[in-house]
Amino acid sequence: MENKQTPLGYVSFSVFAWIVGLLIFFPIFWMVLTSFKSELEAISIPPSFISFDWTLENYVEVQERSNYFKFAMNSVILAVGSTLVGLVFAVTCAWAMAFNPTKRTKDALLWMLSTKMMPPVGVLVPIYLLFRDWGLLDTRFGLIMVLFLMNLPIMVWMLYTYFKEIPTDILEAARMDGATLPKEIIFVLLPMAVPGIASTMLLNIILAWNEAFWTLNLTTSDAAPLTAFIASYSSPEGLFWAKLSAASTLAVAPILVIGWFSQKQLVRGLTFGAVK
Amino acid sequence: MGAIRLEKVKKTFGTLDVIPGVDLDINDGEFVVFVGPSGCGKSTLLRLIAGLEDVTDGKILINGTDVANEAPAKRGLSMVFQSYALYPHMTVYNNIAFGLKMAGESKDVIDEKVQSAAKILNLTDYLERRPGALSGGQRQRVAIGRAIVRNPAAFLFDEPLSNLDAALRVNMRLEITGLHQELKTTMIYVTHDQVEAMTMADKIVVLQAGRVEQVGKPMDLYSNPANKFVAGFIGSPKMNFLGGDIAAKHDCHEIGVRPEHLAVSTDGGEIAATVKIAEHLGAETYLHVEADGLGPMTVRATGEVDLGENDRIFLTPEQDRIHRFDQHGLTLSGA
Amino acid sequence: MSTRASTLTGRIMSAPSIIVLFLWMAVPLGMTIYFSFLRYNLLSPGMEEWIGTLNYEFFLTDPAFFASLANTLLLVGSVLIITVVGGILLGLMLDQPIFGRGILRLLVIAPFFIMPTVNALVWKNLLMDPVSGMFAWIASLFGLPAIDWFTNAPLTSIIIMVSWQWLPFAVLILLTALQSLDRDQKEAAQMDGAGPVSIFFYITLPHLSRAITVVVLIETIFLLTVFAEIFVTTGGGPGLATTNIAFLVYTQALLQFDVGGASAGGIVAVVLANIVAIFLIRLIGKNLDN
Ligand SMILES: Nc1ncnc2c1ncn2[C@@H]1O[C@H](COP(=O)(O)OP(=O)(O)OP(=O)(O)O)[C@@H](O)[C@H]1O
Ligand SMILES: [Mg+2]
């Protein structure tokens, strides 16, 4: 179809495609733009696109009034913490499943996947009560554990599909060379799996950062990450659009960058290897 | 030193009996080739010796010690894999040095051994490269280098040349043979290519369905195959098997005649045939013929033979080169 | 590599993950099931008693359940249709030669990385506000009255927001599948005289069928439990107009403190999700074999 496209066809199709793409992107663009406006300009009709007084005041105010960085720090700690804990568990598990499979490995993998399918509301009540009784409500530790467990199946799966692509021969060669198991994993497997591990970590960070069921239900303030901070704008006082936009822009920017970098590998993780 | 002895070695995968029970003696310094059709268990047998698989039953003795329950690294063997299995993230130098590092050798010793292996294998200029930047033959040499430096009791090769193109394969075949002459270390070499087996081996082990069919020197197997399977497997083109009257005349169930042991004539002879296809290779000519009442046969004639499609010819087997088989495919003695 | 030693280490090394996941799934789920048979309200502690299936009877005959079930199905169904159809169209579009295609692709997939609470609040205020929102202004350009989205079409608003978030997911996966389509196949079909439309229906769509199934199954699992978007915009209202099952369970548990009733609702949600999950797991399991 496309190989006999005329130059004119190429240009007009490109223009069309860009219009569609920009429309989809528009809410994000508009959010970023609004974050640089004053509160009055943010709600002005007709809306102003360029000709307004660009200001950074919202960003300053978001920090000063509501201690934005505390929430951002919580987000970082939760996302990175749950990822690191998950990595330790997932690497060993995926190693075992990829290189020492037994008859039940496949079942175990599918079972892990099935835990991911359980809707969180199904366990909301007991988890909430257990957390309350154990004093884990609104603690980073508790939330790290929840996020880690939530994403563990995905991490194992992603690493498993990456490890599967590493020829067993190479690990056997290491074994013939006298490498012990820890050395085999550290000196041979992990260096070869760096790209896979990196994208697994990135996906996990994205998922943990954006997780908004448990973070909303199990935190109030001390451990509250950005999802909860942004949610606090749902019951606003006075004019707040510009500040909301500034806070939102800060909250999504790092993940957007990470997501853009890892988009190709994400498909594999999100589909459990079913689409490559 | 590396004498290896297998006693009743057995391997089953689940219910699949891959190696039903193998006894084998490999002498120190010998070059032993395992041949057999695909799936016959050559790799499995090699991996059992290496320790990459557990034996289901039986003993593996290396220099008299049973190592069947030892970890691979403890057996003092080196292996060269079909896929080379080089560590892609390490330089050639580090690939070769890895085993020595694992063994805790000092830097100086490592360097000396790596350099000398590199010299033997012509790799000195490539030591800082990664495997990705090497040709197939060079990768193969790195894999061998990695095996050499550990000074093993024996080398294990699993079809090391099958990923190389034809010309390179001939070269590497000579290099490995040369290496064996130089190092005089025991080598066990798996291949399904009977040319490699014939040219390289001191001793060939022919396997079929996990069973040892025959063990012997290449020319022994060629001249005195123990059964029809070995007769058909060793030698190229394949031996012709003829039944019916001509077999009855030799007082057996079936006879076998190698294509190179048939005299061709246009005037007269024992078997009349029609040429279907003639392959002219210059030094020799392969004739694929349809023998009257006997079916298709292959003939290998020396030099250029001026025959083509539908020509009538006559074939006469060399009488002392006829192999006789009974109804179970076993060789009958005496011609 | 299967020696006894390595099989054993394999078991030992996969055990921790399996055990923690099992605890994480089995213990709370068991508790939920247990609670669902109790009269258990956090406001009247110590009054717990076994009431059999009464919670289920209440939950399943509650008009709120039917309303939220209908909302859940509408939400899931609409978002699926929008994202799959849109995903195929955008996937096909991005598979063509386009000026600056790499950057364009980044723009299209960006919404997927936006956290749900940001997504919801930006749409609710900056875009859909009936007075100062972008949509109101655009409507006024055409002389149309502004729509009060969250009053007059609350569920539609939620559907739009959630679709916007999940459209990139469909695009990303369908585009990946499209790019693995053999060029030769298309060219062979062209040689056979097939036009673009028949190529799409006879070659492209069958090739995409597997990816589409994956998108449908995975999205369904996430969409069944949409929560944050409702939580920060409508709070389930007006009335029950935007309450889905997940939100209903949340309301009963953490707003009405009815642990028993919420647990029964949670189990209903688990059953619904499992119906979908069975298909997904079958599909992925088959994939593991080859
Ligand atoms: N891990 C395993 N589990 C089950 N069966 C196996 C396993 N490894 C090998 N087999 C089976 O054992 C038989 C022998 O396999 P092996 O790899 O030793 O053959 P081979 O002689 O090396 O063949 P090739 O020339 O094709 O490499 C085959 O039928 C194979 O399917
Ligand atoms: Mg093999």
Side-chain angles (χ1 to χ4, degrees):
Chain A
M1 294 178 265
E2 55 280 354
N3 43 10
K4 36 182 188 207
Q5 218 176 26
T6 59
L8 185 66
Y10 173 73
V11 171
S12 49
F13 190 78
S14 294
V15 170
F16 165 76
W18 271 91
I19 291 174
V20 173
L22 289 172
L23 279 178
I24 292 175
F25 189 72
F26 181 79
I28 299 172
F29 165 78
W30 195 238
M31 169 187 86
V32 175
L33 200 69
T34 306
S35 74
F36 293 110
K37 295 179 181 174
S38 70
E39 289 293 1
L40 270 179
E41 267 163 332
I43 58 163
S44 75
I45 287 282
S48 40
F49 281 85
I50 306 171
S51 57
F52 58 83
D53 292 328
W54 291 72
T55 171
L56 286 173
E57 165 192 335
N58 299 308
Y59 288 90
V60 178
E61 209 159 318
V62 160
Q63 165 59 17
E64 278 176 357
R65 263 219 220 147
S66 45
N67 198 4
Y68 172 87
F69 283 106
K70 188 189 95 183
F71 297 96
M73 194 41 90
N74 279 337
S75 271
V76 171
I77 290 173
L78 296 182
V80 175
S82 67
T83 302
L84 292 181
V85 177
L87 206 59
V88 174
F89 279 78
V91 165
T92 51
C93 184
W95 171 86
M97 289 180 158
F99 299 114
N100 290 308
T102 63
K103 276 179 292 225
R104 267 169 286 148
T105 296
K106 195 185 133 183
D107 295 334
L109 270 167
L110 290 177
W111 171 79
M112 287 190 141
L113 187 60
S114 74
T115 67
K116 187 68 201 142
M117 320 249 156
M118 190 172 55
V121 285
V123 292
L124 170 65
V125 174
I127 294 289
Y128 185 86
L129 296 179
L130 288 175
F131 267 48
R132 189 196 59 183
D133 296 346
W134 293 342
L136 288 176
L137 280 180
D138 206 17
T139 63
R140 291 171 188 159
F141 173 78
L143 223 51
I144 285 178
M145 287 302 126
V146 168
L147 294 176
F148 145 64
L149 287 163
M150 237 188 57
N151 291 329
L152 182 60
I154 294 189
M155 294 190 90
V156 171
W157 263 85
M158 247 180 120
L159 287 174
Y160 173 80
T161 60
Y162 281 110
F163 286 176
K164 265 298 202 202
E165 282 170 18
I166 292 175
T168 318
D169 280 3
I170 295 186
L171 300 186
E172 288 180 344
R175 204 161 300 180
M176 293 295 291
D177 271 343
T180 55
L181 183 60
K183 285 182 179 171
E184 176 187 321
I185 292 186
I186 292 168
F187 292 121
V188 181
L189 176 65
L190 290 187
M192 288 172 66
V194 162
I197 291 175
S199 48
T200 304
M201 291 179 70
L202 291 182
L203 176 64
N204 202 63
I205 287 175
I206 293 173
L207 292 176
W209 187 276
N210 286 345
E211 204 291 322
F213 182 82
W214 294 113
T215 50
L216 290 179
N217 280 316
L218 297 180
T219 64
T220 44
S221 64
D222 287 353
L226 289 169
T227 44
F229 171 66
I230 301 291
S232 68
Y233 277 92
S234 59
S235 45
E237 304 123 35
L239 295 177
F240 67 104
W241 286 15
K243 282 190 282 296
L244 165 67
S245 298
S248 298
T249 303
L250 288 174
V252 302
I255 286 314
L256 206 50
V257 173
I258 294 181
W260 277 344
F261 273 114
S262 55
Q263 47 162 332
K264 290 232 173 74
Q265 292 84 339
L266 290 187
V267 173
R268 189 203 305 237
L270 291 168
T271 64
F272 307 99
V275 174
K276 277 185 201 162
Chain B
M1 262 287 281
I4 298 174
R5 186 182 164 89
L6 308 186
E7 288 178 8
K8 301 206 173 53
V9 168
K10 251 195 196 163
K11 178 68 186 175
T12 54
F13 287 114
T15 55
L16 186 67
D17 213 358
V18 177
I19 311 276
V22 163
D23 290 285
L24 188 65
D25 259 311
I26 294 167
N27 301 325
D28 184 29
E30 216 167 18
F31 196 120
V32 177
V33 174
F34 293 175
V35 283
S38 190
C40 70
K42 305 180 294 288
S43 301
T44 306
L45 196 54
L46 197 71
R47 292 163 56 82
L48 287 172
I49 298 172
L52 294 171
E53 305 274 357
D54 274 339
V55 293
T56 307
D57 200 6
K59 285 184 180 170
I60 296 173
L61 303 158
I62 298 181
N63 296 326
T65 326
D66 184 10
V67 295
N69 292 315
E70 290 278 8
K74 299 262 162 62
R75 302 187 183 192
L77 305 173
S78 290
M79 183 145 166
V80 176
F81 293 82
Q82 175 174 359
S83 61
Y84 318 133
L86 301 180
Y87 310 122
H89 56 290
M90 298 182 196
T91 59
V92 168
Y93 184 98
N94 286 327
N95 260 281
I96 298 177
F98 187 73
L100 300 170
K101 280 185 195 159
M102 291 298 115
E105 299 276 5
S106 76
K107 267 215 158 72
D108 296 338
V109 176
I110 293 177
D111 192 59
E112 189 198 313
K113 289 192 175 177
V114 172
Q115 295 295 352
S116 93
K119 207 181 226 161
I120 297 177
L121 294 163
N122 273 328
L123 286 170
T124 313
D125 296 340
Y126 306 105
L127 284 175
E128 290 315 312
R129 290 212 198 161
R130 303 249 163 142
L134 297 178
S135 72
Q138 289 163 342
R139 283 181 212 183
Q140 187 61 70
R141 280 203 283 265
V142 177
I144 295 173
R146 196 168 61 177
I148 290 180
V149 286
R150 299 187 47 233
N151 215 351
F155 290 99
L156 311 176
F157 293 90
D158 192 355
E159 309 205 19
L161 306 186
S162 59
N163 284 346
L164 301 177
D165 66 44
L168 204 50
R169 206 178 308 171
V170 174
N171 271 338
M172 287 305 298
R173 203 166 80 200
L174 294 173
E175 278 189 40
I176 294 176
T177 312
L179 197 68
H180 180 242
Q181 283 164 0
E182 192 175 326
L183 300 175
K184 299 196 171 53
T185 310
T186 312
M187 292 189 175
I188 306 179
Y189 187 106
V190 166
T191 179
H192 57 246
D193 178 348
Q194 59 98 24
V195 176
E196 278 174 26
M198 293 296 284
T199 52
M200 302 172 88
D202 295 325
K203 183 152 98 187
I204 295 182
V205 179
V206 183
L207 292 164
Q208 189 197 195
R211 253 175 266 276
V212 174
E213 294 286 339
Q214 193 174 0
V215 179
K217 292 204 175 79
M219 282 320 289
D220 280 349
L221 299 194
Y222 178 83
S223 314
N224 301 310
N227 54 39
K228 198 179 150 189
F229 176 79
V230 177
F233 196 80
I234 301 289
S236 168
K238 247 174 91 111
M239 183 182 279
N240 298 296
F241 295 105
L242 309 169
D245 286 351
I246 191 163
K249 215 167 75 190
H250 288 89
D251 201 16
C252 63
H253 180 68
E254 221 176 4
I255 62 164
V257 186
R258 295 198 184 278
E260 53 270 41
H261 299 148
L262 285 163
V264 182
S265 146
T266 46
D267 312 327
E270 205 168 328
I271 305 164
T274 310
V275 177
K276 291 292 169 201
I277 297 169
E279 294 179 311
H280 302 275
L281 302 180
E284 54 198 13
T285 307
Y286 295 162
L287 301 171
H288 301 275
V289 306
E290 184 73 21
D292 300 358
L294 290 170
M297 288 178 67
T298 312
V299 181
R300 176 184 192 164
T302 325
E304 172 60 9
V305 180
D306 188 19
L307 287 170
E309 202 185 341
N310 291 332
D311 285 342
R312 290 289 290 171
I313 56 168
F314 298 93
L315 306 170
T316 311
E318 290 174 32
Q319 293 304 312
D320 55 346
R321 298 280 207 170
I322 292 176
H323 304 269
R324 304 186 312 133
F325 303 103
D326 65 13
Q327 61 269 44
H328 305 297
L330 292 178
T331 303
L332 294 166
S333 52
Chain C
M1 191 163 31
S2 58
T3 59
R4 280 179 285 274
S6 64
T7 311
L8 184 66
T9 21
R11 292 246 167 82
I12 294 172
M13 288 181 63
S14 56
S17 296
I18 292 178
I19 291 170
V20 292
L21 266 180
F22 180 77
L23 292 179
W24 160 245
M25 185 168 98
V27 173
L29 193 61
M31 287 172 74
T32 308
I33 293 174
Y34 175 63
F35 291 161
S36 72
F37 293 109
L38 295 184
R39 183 197 316 279
Y40 184 178
N41 196 301
L42 292 179
L43 296 181
S44 43
M47 304 269 291
E48 294 87 45
E49 61 173 319
W50 184 266
I51 53 167
T53 57
L54 210 57
N55 282 322
Y56 288 95
E57 281 163 39
F58 272 127
F59 188 84
L60 293 174
T61 54
D62 186 354
F65 167 69
F66 289 105
S68 64
L69 182 64
N71 288 336
T72 307
L73 295 180
L74 258 175
L75 177 65
V76 173
S78 318
V79 175
L80 279 180
I81 293 172
I82 294 171
T83 53
V84 169
V85 173
I88 293 174
L89 293 176
L90 284 169
L92 285 172
M93 183 184 96
L94 289 172
D95 198 28
Q96 311 294 318
I98 294 170
F99 175 75
R101 182 164 69 175
I103 298 168
L104 182 59
R105 195 164 89 168
L106 294 183
L107 295 187
V108 172
I109 64 168
F112 186 63
F113 303 116
I114 304 299
M115 63 175 60
T117 46
V118 167
N119 168 10
L121 287 177
V122 166
W123 276 84
K124 181 185 179 185
N125 296 305
L126 271 53
L127 299 172
M128 288 177 158
D129 187 273
V131 180
S132 313
M134 179 56 71
F135 291 173
W137 176 67
I138 292 172
S140 74
L141 290 184
F142 294 98
L144 297 170
I147 304 171
D148 188 351
W149 288 91
F150 283 91
T151 309
N152 298 327
L155 190 61
T156 311
S157 314
I158 302 274
I159 289 172
I160 293 174
M161 287 169 0
V162 176
S163 299
W164 179 72
Q165 174 122 56
W166 283 93
L167 181 60
F169 173 77
V171 174
L172 204 56
I173 285 166
L174 294 171
L175 183 59
T176 309
L178 271 176
Q179 284 168 343
S180 72
L181 177 60
D182 207 354
R183 271 252 126 69
D184 293 352
Q185 237 188 69
K186 265 201 233 170
E187 279 163 12
Q190 275 176 326
M191 299 294 289
D192 288 342
V197 176
S198 28
I199 289 186
F200 175 76
F201 280 105
Y202 289 108
I203 296 184
T204 313
L205 208 52
H207 175 78
L208 286 184
S209 62
R210 174 194 184 76
I212 292 175
T213 321
V214 170
V215 169
V216 168
L217 294 171
I218 292 179
E219 280 195 11
T220 306
I221 292 188
F222 283 95
L223 295 177
L224 278 174
T225 54
V226 164
F227 175 78
E229 290 85 343
I230 299 172
F231 179 81
V232 297
T233 55
T234 65
L240 289 169
T242 55
T243 298
N244 65 356
I245 298 217
F247 201 81
L248 183 66
V249 173
Y250 157 81
T251 331
Q252 290 206 327
L254 299 191
L255 300 184
Q256 295 165 17
F257 304 106
D258 176 7
V259 171
S263 298
I267 295 303
V268 171
V270 170
V271 170
L272 287 180
N274 277 3
I275 295 171
V276 184
I278 287 168
F279 288 104
L280 180 59
I281 289 179
R282 282 242 181 99
L283 181 93
I284 291 175
K286 254 187 230 148
N287 201 40
L288 263 188
D289 290 331
N290 40 49

